[in-house]
Amino acid sequence: MRRVLFLFVDGVGIGADDPAVNPFVAAATPVLDRLLGRRLAALAGPLRTDGALLVPLDATLGVDGLPQSATGQTALLTGLNAPRAVGRHVTAYPTARLRELLAASNLFSQVRQAGGAVALANAYTSEYFAAVAAGELRHAAFTFAALSAGVPLRGLAELRAGQAVFHDLTNARPRAWGYDLPLSTPRTAGATLARIARAHHLTVFEFFLTDLAAHQRGELSPRTVVEMLDALIGGILAAADREELLFLMVSDHGNLEDGRQRQHTRNPVPALLVGAGREDVGNGLRDLTDVAPAVVRWLEAELRRG
């Protein structure tokens, strides 16, 4: 049965092949190195290896200015040119207009309407829900889209049961807040995501330590976060059935790949595809708006047969 594990990685572009600038070149990334036969850098066009397809995607979408999170993620989730629809790139959280686009149709809702089982694998705390209820925090695009599609958010009970992953991959942050949780590792987190994916046609996980590191808002260095991401991918692929599962990693805009500044970049972003259907899904990818339609088409072919 066809399944997709969609790893959304915030703020990662394809940068220069320069370890002084790009943490994807400076860091130890044995998993990506084996998949690609090279570093994740300086890519002018699609790269095919025996195990993977890497496609650079345009994140600017023909709109002036630097690509931003809210419009980039909305484009990824809906297949619509969100910055063109609202006339600009929108940072951080979706505006009312972007929420309308997400609520009308998104990757989660389209797969569910086709009869597929869908999961957002991130774990949320009670503090998160309280902050949203108090108006102190807003849902980002992936969370809002999942809720709009009727996909339940997972909490600490699912995290303890191995049915969710916290965004830091290790549980260190919620443990520091006083929660009784075991320490984990990025590789173990990857294995957990692969296990969740076995029970769903579409499983999504949002990883945004990359964006925090790029903006120097987190405690971890860019190089450390890149190495965590590499280990996460390794854990996923070691536990995945690549005959059934398509692993897809994609980002919304560049940033982390250029350590010379904290702003976003206009660099293309990577779409990394490994496993079943990588050519079927990856062949037509050119920009952010191509991702959701390609995933839905591939899954619908299976769901129609089932």
Side-chain angles (χ1 to χ4, degrees), residues 32-201:
L32 287 170
D33 292 352
R34 284 195 300 271
L35 281 173
L36 304 177
R38 50 168 289 174
R39 289 304 175 102
L40 178 52
L43 187 70
L47 171 68
R48 288 174 169 84
T49 68
D50 288 342
L53 171 61
L54 178 63
V55 183
L57 302 181
D58 171 44
T60 67
L61 299 178
V63 176
D64 290 339
L66 297 177
Q68 302 291 338
S69 295
T71 36
Q73 292 168 29
T74 300
L76 279 173
L77 285 162
T78 64
L80 302 173
N81 189 325
R84 184 169 292 166
V86 299
R88 62 188 177 94
H89 296 285
V90 178
T91 190
Y93 300 101
T95 59
R97 176 57 180 148
L98 293 175
R99 292 195 298 271
E100 289 177 3
L101 296 177
L102 288 164
S105 181
N106 64 67
L107 178 60
F108 296 103
S109 61
Q110 290 180 57
V111 174
R112 290 199 79 189
Q113 287 164 11
V118 178
L120 178 59
N122 290 76
Y124 296 77
T125 65
S126 58
E127 287 85 354
Y128 174 87
F129 295 114
V132 171
E136 300 166 356
L137 188 65
R138 287 179 288 165
H139 295 308
F142 274 80
T143 308
F144 181 85
L147 289 171
S148 297
V151 177
L153 300 186
R154 298 177 179 224
L156 295 183
E158 288 83 3
L159 184 60
R160 291 190 183 95
Q163 290 299 314
V165 173
F166 201 70
H167 74 258
D168 70 354
L169 309 183
T170 65
N171 296 338
R173 184 166 291 273
R175 280 169 59 91
W177 297 336
Y179 287 106
D180 182 18
L181 293 165
L183 276 174
S184 185
T185 67
R187 188 172 179 88
T188 299
T192 298
L193 291 178
R195 183 169 58 251
I196 295 169
R198 293 185 201 122
H200 300 86
H201 296 93

Side-chain angles (χ1 to χ4, degrees), residues 16-27 223 256-261:
D17 190 6
D18 182 352
V21 170
N22 189 348
F24 281 89
V25 181
R223 179 170 177 164
L256 185 66
E257 78 284 358
D258 189 345
R260 292 170 293 190
Q261 43 76 55

Side-chain angles (χ1 to χ4, degrees), residues 10-11 167 173 207-220 222 225 255-256:
D10 199 335
H167 74 258
R173 184 166 291 273
F207 184 63
F208 51 85
L209 289 187
T210 42
D211 190 67
L212 294 178
H215 289 295
Q216 298 181 20
R217 291 196 309 237
E219 300 173 355
L220 302 175
V225 172
N255 192 350
L256 185 66

